[in-house]
């Protein structure tokens, strides 16, 4: 089986690029041939995983719409593709890939990557309504299946009126080389934020918690890992200075060993976002044995059921209380939570487990009952 995936593999794209690259890794491990269609990297970009089979298109134009002049030539150059997989919505590559798949008489899937949540649709809402009418609705309705990363995302998709099959498959996490490490002692209580900086991420609430709990958190540190919206980052840095906090560190985007080292040193990762479709940042912490506090705008109730973190409201008082509760735990209790998080990752989210499930989904789309019938994670 040969599959073609379209989307960004630029490390600066954050979670969507990581999810796409790990999906490809899982499929390759399951014996599925993959090729990724991604735009050529801009000067400030970097391929998230150069080991993947990638066919680069020209750089995109027309802003976020991402028009690519040679995408059809690139699609025609890939022969014997059995199934196409579009990663993301609104962009030109979705139109081009869906049209090409129809011309070739082949099925395609779409992974919206959280872009159909009500909060996401409200951003530039009028423009998105027009885009949905002009082309995005046809791309979605024509898909053999749509991948949602959680049941909440599936509900939002159904609420838009689409009735085609939906597969609920979370994003994978690469546990190899990490899962079986011992959890190191944490001499300093460090709270971390990881991800793209954007106002809806509510990172300022962590800064305000450190200011409001100055005495309790003396000797502790807040580490903000990531970048993105320059205006928002300047606001966060200005608030840190205004409040006279010397124990807040901004690292910018980190990758590879440097990112791994900083994450491993955390005592707690906090995700205070208004909403997250899945939150790769949660899995990246849990696989390293770091407990997580995530807002109820994320689909992470499992933090409570596996006893590896907190699933909380993202108002200021709740975040303050959660930091106090985490700080009050003994080192042994935090390590037990960390081990529970590792177990959750191994059982449900590894690249290998989800690669096999994605392969089963493709086989069902291509062959139906010949391959054992509809998978249990597909809803019609």
């Amino acid at each position: 089986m040969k599959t073609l995936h379209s989307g960004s593999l630029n490390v600066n794209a954050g979670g969507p690029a990581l999810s796409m690259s790990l999906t490809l890794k899982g499929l390759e491990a399951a014996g599925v041939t993959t090729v990724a269609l991604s735009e050529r990297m801009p000067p400030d970009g970097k391929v998230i995983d150069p080991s993947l089979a990638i066919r680069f298109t020209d750089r995109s134009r027309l802003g976020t719409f991402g028009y690519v002049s040679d995408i059809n030539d690139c699609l025609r150059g890939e022969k014997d593709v059995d199934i196409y997989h579009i990663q993301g919505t609104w962009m030109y590559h979705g139109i081009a890939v869906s049209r090409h798949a129809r011309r070739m008489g082949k099925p395609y899937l779409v992974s919206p990557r959280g872009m159909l949540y009500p909060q996401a649709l409200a951003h530039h809402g009028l423009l998105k309504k027009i885009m949905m009418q002009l082309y995005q609705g046809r791309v979605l309705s024509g898909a053999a299946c749509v991948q949602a990363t959680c049941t909440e995302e599936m509900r939002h998709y159904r609420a838009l009126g689409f009735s085609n099959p939906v597969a609920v498959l979370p994003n994978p996490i690469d546990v190899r080389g990490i899962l079986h490490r011992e959890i190191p002692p944490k001499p300093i209580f460090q709270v971390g934020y990881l991800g793209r900086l954007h106002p809806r991420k509510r990172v300022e609430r962590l800064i305000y918690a450190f200011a409001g709990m100055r005495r309790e958190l003396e000797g502790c540190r807040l580490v903000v890992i990531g970048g993105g919206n320059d205006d928002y980052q300047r606001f966060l840095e200005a608030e840190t200075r205004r409040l006279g906090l010397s124990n807040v560190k901004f690292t910018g985007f980190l990758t590879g060993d440097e990112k791994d080292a900083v994450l491993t040193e955390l005592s707690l990762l906090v995700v205070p976002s208004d909403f997250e479709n899945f939150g790769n940042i949660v899995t990246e912490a849990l696989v390293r044995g770091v407990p997580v506090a995530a807002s109820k705008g994320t689909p992470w109730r499992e933090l409570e059921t596996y006893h590896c973190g907190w699933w909380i409201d993202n108002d200021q008082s709740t975040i303050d209380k959660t930091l106090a509760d985490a700080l009050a735990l003994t080192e042994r209790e935090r390590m037990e939570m960390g081990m529970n998080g590792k177990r959750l990752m191994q059982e449900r989210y590894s690249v290998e487990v989800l690669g096999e499930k994605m392969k089963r989904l493709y086989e069902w789309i291509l062959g139906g009952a010949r391959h054992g019938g509809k998978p249990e994670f597909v809803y019609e």
Side-chain angles (χ1 to χ4, degrees), residues 80-141:
D80 302 319
V81 174
D82 296 296
I83 195 162
Y84 295 83
H85 197 147
I86 300 165
Q87 308 271 351
T89 53
W90 310 119
M91 296 182 69
Y92 176 70
H93 69 83
I95 304 174
V97 172
S98 62
R99 286 176 177 171
H100 180 78
R102 285 192 291 267
R103 283 194 296 268
M104 300 301 293
K106 302 292 184 178
Y108 68 89
L109 291 82
V110 179
S111 296
R113 298 296 178 207
M115 299 177 193
L116 299 179
Y117 271 62
Q119 300 93 326
L121 290 172
H123 185 64
H124 299 309
L126 178 59
L127 176 60
K128 286 178 179 174
K129 286 180 181 179
I130 295 171
M131 295 162 81
M132 186 69 78
Q133 290 292 323
L134 288 176
Y135 65 89
Q136 188 59 60
R138 289 196 298 276
V139 173
L140 291 166
S141 63

Side-chain angles (χ1 to χ4, degrees), residues 209-259:
F210 266 69
M213 302 169 64
R214 197 181 301 262
R215 182 176 301 172
E216 298 92 328
L217 294 172
E218 185 178 3
C220 303
R221 183 181 299 148
L222 171 61
V223 185
V224 180
I225 310 163
N229 185 308
D230 292 338
D231 289 339
Y232 183 56
Q233 180 165 344
R234 283 191 288 269
F235 163 73
L236 295 176
E237 291 171 345
E239 287 295 271
T240 301
R241 291 191 297 271
R242 180 181 69 82
L243 294 166
L245 295 173
S246 60
N247 55 348
V248 178
K249 179 180 180 181
F250 294 85
T251 70
F253 274 116
L254 299 180
T255 59
D257 292 342
E258 190 176 17
K259 176 181 175 182

Side-chain angles (χ1 to χ4, degrees), residues 285-300:
L286 292 177
V287 76
R288 291 171 171 83
V290 177
V292 175
S295 83
K296 291 182 178 177
T298 72
W300 278 101

